[in-house]
């Protein structure tokens, strides 16, 4: 059921495998909000982004309370992108700031987990977004979308103006006598202009730093000081945190600090007590990303990551009550103690495909 792309239009279509429903099809034009339902018991949802428009998906909501964790996946055969985990859903959960942006013309698939190994449970999710007008003819996929900030443009302009004003103040070693006879008023005017441009540059730099700190993309003052303090220290011994989580630092990183609300990118391997690997993510090109403290991962993992710095490696041992508890999940049995080997790639930033 591959659809022909229509200019300035985004279409969604999914075929049910159960035979109880007809094909679901929706079309959205530029300027329209997007809302489409996707089921895990249907074929992958085919999305066609027509030429001249951009699809921005920002929210995914599950409307059925299933007992296992389900991934929301993105893939594109034409771009060679294998199924990529955009986010995870658990129970009746809403995930915001999904940040999936696709410029047309392009075909891709959206998937919602699988029912083969989960006792027939069916996930149903609603996907929300917006169709915008494309500003250029090139196509791109961005996961998550990176907003263009004009602060960097202002910064470059201010630096250029400051450099030009300083060049006017550099004396020439060989000039004519007439050129050395500038009046004092002219020299004062140039100095005043230079100071004014310097102030403008400082204001632009301060504004850019404030905006970047609000997004968690750069170190704040305390992070910088602490980074110098810890970057050369050896790993410390094993220690116990509140709730029974045990952490052991293998390498202490020197980058930004994991804090509540910050976006983190990690590589990990999860094992049971008998050494069985129940989950892992080791591809540096597509690390596992989530926002700390928002409940996108189990509580024990969030608690174990708190205070870690990018570039660091840590072993986190999670007790059952802060893991999957008495119910378990998928390959994780009930009342299982979990051990995670974590490498923290970055704090802030994004993964981007072009």
């Amino acid at each position: 059921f591959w659809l022909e792309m229509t200019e300035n239009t985004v279409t969604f279509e999914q075929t049910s495998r159960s035979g109880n429903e007809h094909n679901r099809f929706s079309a959205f034009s530029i300027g329209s909000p997007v809302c489409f339902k996707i089921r895990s018991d249907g074929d992958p949802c085919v999305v066609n982004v027509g030429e001249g428009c951009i699809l921005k998906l920002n929210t995914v909501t599950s409307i059925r309370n299933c007992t296992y964790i389900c991934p929301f996946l993105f893939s594109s055969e034409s771009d060679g992108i294998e199924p990529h985990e955009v986010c995870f859903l658990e129970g009746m959960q809403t995930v915001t700031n999904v940040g999936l942006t696709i410029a047309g013309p392009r075909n891709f698939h959206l998937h919602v987990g699988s029912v083969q190994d989960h006792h027939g449970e069916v996930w149903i999710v609603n996907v929300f977004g917006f169709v915008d007008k494309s500003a250029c003819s090139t196509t791109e996929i961005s996961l998550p979308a990176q907003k263009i900030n004009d602060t960097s443009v202002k910064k470059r302009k201010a630096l250029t103006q400051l450099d030009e004003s300083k060049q006017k103040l550099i004396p020439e070693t060989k000039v004519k006598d007439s050129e050395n006879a500038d009046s004092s008023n002219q020299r004062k005017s140039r100095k005043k202009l230079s100071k004014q441009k310097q102030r403008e540059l400082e204001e632009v730099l301060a504004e850019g730093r404030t905006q970047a700190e609000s997004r968690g993309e750069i170190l704040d003052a305390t992070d910088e000081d602490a980074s110098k303090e810890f970057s050369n220290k050896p790993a410390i011994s094993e220690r116990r945190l509140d709730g029974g989580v045990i952490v052991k630092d293998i390498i202490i990183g020197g980058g930004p600090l994991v804090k509540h609300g910050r976006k983190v990118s990690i590589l990990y391997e999860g094992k049971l007590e008998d050494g069985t690997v129940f989950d892992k993510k080791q591809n540096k090109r597509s690390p596992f990303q989530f926002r700390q403290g928002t409940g996108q991962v189990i509580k024990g993992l969030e608690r174990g990551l708190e205070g870690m710095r990018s570039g660091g490696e840590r072993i986190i041992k999670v007790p059952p009550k802060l893991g999957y508890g008495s119910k378990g999940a998928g390959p994780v049995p009930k009342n299982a103690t979990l051990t995670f080997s974590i490498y923290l790639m970055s704090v802030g930033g994004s993964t981007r495909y072009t």
Side-chain angles (χ1 to χ4, degrees):
F1 51 89
W2 197 256
L3 300 179
E4 181 180 357
M5 288 183 290
T6 305
E7 186 176 359
N8 298 329
T9 303
V10 175
T11 61
F12 291 76
E13 184 175 9
Q14 185 182 33
T15 301
S16 173
R17 299 194 194 105
S18 63
N20 296 327
E21 296 186 22
H22 298 292
N23 291 357
R24 292 183 296 277
F25 173 79
S26 295
F28 304 91
S29 58
I30 291 178
S32 301
V34 171
C35 177
F36 187 77
K37 180 172 69 174
I38 303 176
R39 297 172 59 98
S40 62
D41 62 345
D43 289 329
C45 178
V46 178
V47 184
N48 298 309
V49 182
E51 184 175 359
C53 57
I54 298 177
L55 174 62
K56 300 179 180 180
L57 301 181
N58 49 43
T59 303
V60 179
T61 301
S62 59
I63 58 176
R64 178 170 292 184
N65 189 16
C66 293
T67 58
Y68 65 93
I69 297 175
C70 176
F72 179 63
L73 305 169
F74 165 88
S75 65
S76 176
E77 294 181 2
S78 59
D79 294 287
I81 301 175
E82 297 295 328
H84 180 88
E85 297 161 350
V86 179
C87 63
F88 290 89
L89 298 166
E90 183 175 6
M92 299 184 68
Q93 183 184 8
T94 296
V95 178
T96 58
N97 298 322
V98 172
L100 179 60
T101 300
I102 304 96
R106 189 179 299 274
N107 300 93
F108 63 94
H109 288 168
L110 294 177
H111 317 250
V112 182
S114 173
V115 299
Q116 296 178 357
D117 300 321
H118 299 289
H119 310 290
E121 289 184 319
V122 177
W123 277 87
I124 303 176
V125 302
N126 280 333
V127 181
F128 299 92
F130 184 79
V131 180
D132 204 353
K133 184 177 181 180
S134 177
C136 59
S137 60
T138 59
T139 61
E140 106 176 352
I141 302 174
S142 179
L143 178 64
Q146 187 73 17
K147 293 184 179 179
I148 298 176
N149 193 331
D150 62 349
T151 302
S152 59
V153 178
K154 294 180 181 178
K155 187 189 301 183
R156 288 195 296 271
K157 184 177 180 180
L159 284 169
T160 302
Q161 292 176 343
L162 177 63
D163 185 64
E164 291 176 353
S165 63
K166 284 185 176 180
Q167 289 295 330
K168 295 179 181 179
L169 298 178
I170 299 176
E172 297 181 1
T173 56
K174 295 181 180 181
V175 293
K176 296 179 180 180
D177 293 341
S178 59
E179 292 176 347
N180 288 328
D182 289 340
S183 67
S184 60
N185 289 336
Q186 291 175 327
R187 290 194 297 270
K188 289 180 180 179
S189 176
R190 290 197 297 270
K191 289 181 180 180
K192 184 177 180 180
L193 176 63
S194 178
K195 291 180 179 179
Q196 179 182 353
K197 297 300 181 182
Q198 181 69 35
R199 286 194 300 269
E200 292 177 357
L201 174 62
E202 291 173 352
E203 291 174 359
V204 171
L205 292 175
E207 178 186 355
R209 182 177 179 84
T210 300
Q211 294 179 359
E213 286 177 345
S214 67
R215 298 191 300 268
E217 294 177 352
I218 63 174
L219 295 174
D220 52 32
T222 57
D223 280 343
E224 291 174 349
D225 296 338
S227 174
K228 295 177 182 178
E229 178 182 355
F230 287 103
S231 59
N232 295 324
K233 286 191 174 183
I236 60 178
S237 60
E238 189 176 272
R239 63 188 188 278
R240 181 181 294 270
L241 307 179
D242 292 341
V245 176
I246 299 175
V247 299
K248 182 178 181 180
D249 288 293
I250 307 303
I251 297 176
I252 297 179
L257 188 70
V258 175
K259 292 182 180 179
H260 182 87
R262 284 187 173 181
K263 183 179 180 181
V264 299
S265 300
I266 65 173
L267 302 179
Y268 69 91
E269 183 179 75
K271 293 183 179 181
L272 304 177
E273 287 183 293
D274 62 358
T276 301
V277 177
F278 65 90
D279 193 15
K280 67 178 180 179
K281 186 77 170 180
Q282 300 289 345
N283 189 348
K284 291 185 178 181
R285 295 188 62 185
S286 59
F288 178 54
Q289 298 178 328
F290 64 96
R291 199 167 293 278
Q292 174 73 357
T294 59
Q296 292 178 273
V297 297
I298 58 176
K299 293 181 180 179
L301 186 57
E302 283 191 336
R303 191 165 298 180
L305 286 170
E306 198 73 19
M308 194 175 176
R309 295 181 177 277
S310 64
E313 295 183 17
R314 176 177 290 185
I315 296 176
I316 303 173
K317 193 171 184 179
V318 179
K321 64 180 180 180
L322 295 181
Y324 295 100
S326 60
K327 294 183 179 180
V332 179
K334 61 182 180 180
N335 298 321
T337 298
L338 311 177
T339 301
F340 292 90
S341 299
I342 303 292
Y343 170 63
L344 181 57
M345 291 188 62
S346 64
V347 178
S350 66
T351 303
R352 188 176 178 86
Y353 298 91
T354 59

